[in-house]
Amino acid sequence: MKRYSFLSLARNAVNYHKDWGQAWRNAEPRSEYDVIIIGAGGHGLATAYYLAKEHKVTNVAVIEKGWLGGGNTGRNTTIVRSNYLQDESVAIYELARSLYETLSQELNFNIMFSPRGVLMLCQTEHELRAFKRTAHANRLSGVDARMIDRAEIKRLVPIINDRDDCRYPILGAYYQPRGGTARHDAVAWGYARGADDRGVDIVQNCAVTGINREGGRVTGVETSRGPIRAKKIAVVAAGNTSVVMDMAGVSMPIESVALQALVSEPIKPVIDVVVMANTVHGYMSQSDKGELVIGGGADEYNNYTQRGSFPAVEHTVTALVETFPIISRLRMMRQWGGIVDMTGDRSPIISKTDVQGLFVNCGWGTGGFKSIPGSGFVFADTIANDRPHPIAEPFGLNRFAEGRLINESISAAVAH
Ligand code: FAD
Ligand code: PYC
């Protein structure tokens, strides 16, 4: 991999990057690999990176039907936090959050992690009680979190509406000071470059159209660019999980829905924390460019469009104008959607399957950006050693048959 000195960076800036090397190869698919990962989102790329780095498994291809990071990884609103209720969840989300703290150094790629603080507003007595419970549980698990009152909320977020005469007055907030945001594309690009450096092939514009099995085990995939043999196959195809797993004859407990987001025209800094208002279904942060990054609830019906419906946007904007009245005359610049895969208990699936050599990582729903480093780390370990990593074990597919659900519907927050 080519590295750049300060002088060469300056030269490239004036010669329109004429000699700028590619950050990763545009690999052609080979006929056989030890491991094929289906899906070059953050989870697939992180899995490839840790397989190569931690387990020296480098005969790996990541097969992507579009371009890397073009799924939900490049479409999300970049919130990173670990304030989930159950111990199993805190273990994986806090592993991920702590890996984010040093990910720029790990990958030698600036992923712009900004632990600016995340607030979850409590706007009903029920929400206040639920978040008090979460804050206590989180502190017992070693997560730095606390409840704050309305005065402290107003100090942290001067533009917030703290009046009593609105639909849902603010009663308090859950506060995680080291939650925040990171640059989503950079996370995908950093892991892609790190995996490519270690010999992983990243094959873009190559759709998997079939999964081949012989007896009870996988033997390879059919793709739009021909068949490829493999000893192990890992499906990491958020939004399309059920479709891809169906190719191997495995039915998934997943529903797919659209979740959307929007950004405003850029304005001067007005908010330097992330605020989530779960009761009214809206959240907001400000990007380094000055745009307000806004999102809300998921569509209420299953679909595979990467757009999202107008009523959901209207609902989100109503909630945020109520919460931050100064944004009422702001123009919105862009709106987009992604397809997220939801499990019934709102927890992910990181699992071996009954088909030998077939692994699956999915079900992160509306909240899987924050978990990318931790998920990649434990999934790579699971694939390399053919048994669940201890942190991944509770998230096995068997929990649905055995009734060991990990209920995170409250912590999954605003989008549910
Ligand atoms: P993806 O990035 O979607 O990657 C899956 C890849 O698989 C895609 O690139 C797709 O093209 C590929 N693929 C699918 N089928 C095939 C096939 N047949 N052959 C080859 N490739 C295939 N999470 C947070 O933690 N914080 C947030 O603030 C947040 N906000 C969000 C806002 C929005 C609007 C959306 C849509 C999501 C948000 N999320 C958030 C959720 C988060 O984006 C996802 O959980 C996460 O990005 C999933 O990553 P992934 O790598 O599993 O999937
Ligand atoms: O998981 O924090 C989150 C989130 C916010 C918006 C969508 N997901």
Side-chain angles (χ1 to χ4, degrees), residues 4-227:
Y4 296 96
S5 67
F6 177 73
L7 266 181
S8 80
L9 285 174
R11 204 169 39 247
N12 272 296
V14 293
N15 77 2
Y16 299 99
H17 302 97
K18 196 161 59 66
D19 304 318
W20 199 262
Q22 277 185 284
W24 53 83
R25 293 163 299 127
N26 203 7
E28 286 298 316
R30 284 188 272 131
S31 58
E32 184 161 7
Y33 291 94
D34 290 337
V35 182
I36 284 180
I37 295 171
I38 304 175
H43 290 264
L45 292 165
T47 303
Y49 173 81
Y50 291 116
L51 266 175
K53 180 172 180 236
E54 301 293 327
H55 305 282
K56 311 298 172 234
V57 179
T58 56
N59 185 19
V60 176
V62 185
I63 307 286
E64 167 56 51
K65 70 175 176 182
W67 64 95
L68 74 84
N72 292 330
T73 297
R75 293 164 186 268
N76 71 78
T77 43
T78 78
I79 298 174
V80 175
R81 57 185 175 84
S82 57
N83 59 330
Y84 286 71
L85 180 62
Q86 314 291 351
D87 293 347
E88 298 89 336
S89 316
V90 172
I92 183 136
Y93 288 106
E94 183 56 15
L95 169 67
R97 200 207 55 77
S98 64
L99 289 172
Y100 264 120
E101 296 260 5
T102 52
L103 197 56
S104 294
Q105 292 86 341
E106 164 79 20
L107 299 175
N108 187 26
F109 199 103
N110 187 1
I111 60 126
M112 296 167 70
F113 179 54
S114 165
R116 59 184 66 183
V118 173
L119 272 75
M120 288 189 155
L121 303 181
C122 302
Q123 291 169 287
T124 63
E125 286 294 339
H126 169 78
E127 206 172 17
L128 192 61
R129 269 201 305 275
F131 274 114
K132 275 185 186 162
R133 181 178 175 217
T134 304
H136 288 314
N138 287 172
R139 286 165 72 89
L140 284 173
S141 308
V143 173
D144 179 17
R146 62 192 156 88
M147 297 301 290
I148 56 177
D149 63 13
R150 204 193 283 186
E152 190 168 355
I153 298 168
K154 189 69 179 169
R155 191 180 58 70
L156 286 167
V157 197
I159 62 167
I160 211 157
N161 178 2
D162 64 345
R163 292 167 58 117
D164 269 326
D165 61 354
C166 56
R167 206 165 43 121
Y168 288 105
I170 293 166
L171 307 176
Y174 171 105
Y175 180 43
Q176 181 172 19
R178 291 208 66 84
T181 59
R183 170 84 197 270
H184 49 6
D185 304 308
V187 172
W189 298 336
Y191 275 122
R193 190 179 75 167
D196 175 88
D197 268 358
R198 290 168 174 79
V200 171
D201 282 355
I202 301 168
V203 184
Q204 302 181 77
N205 293 312
C206 181
V208 170
T209 53
I211 295 181
N212 297 326
R213 291 175 54 166
E214 254 172 49
R217 63 168 308 121
V218 293
T219 55
V221 293
E222 298 294 328
T223 79
S224 52
R225 290 161 72 173

Side-chain angles (χ1 to χ4, degrees), residues 335-356:
Q335 173 271 356
W336 65 90
I339 304 301
V340 295
D341 49 3
M342 309 272 211
T343 57
D345 62 359
R346 303 304 189 236
S347 285
I349 296 168
I350 313 171
S351 192
K352 291 179 66 165
T353 68
D354 289 342
V355 182
Q356 240 186 315

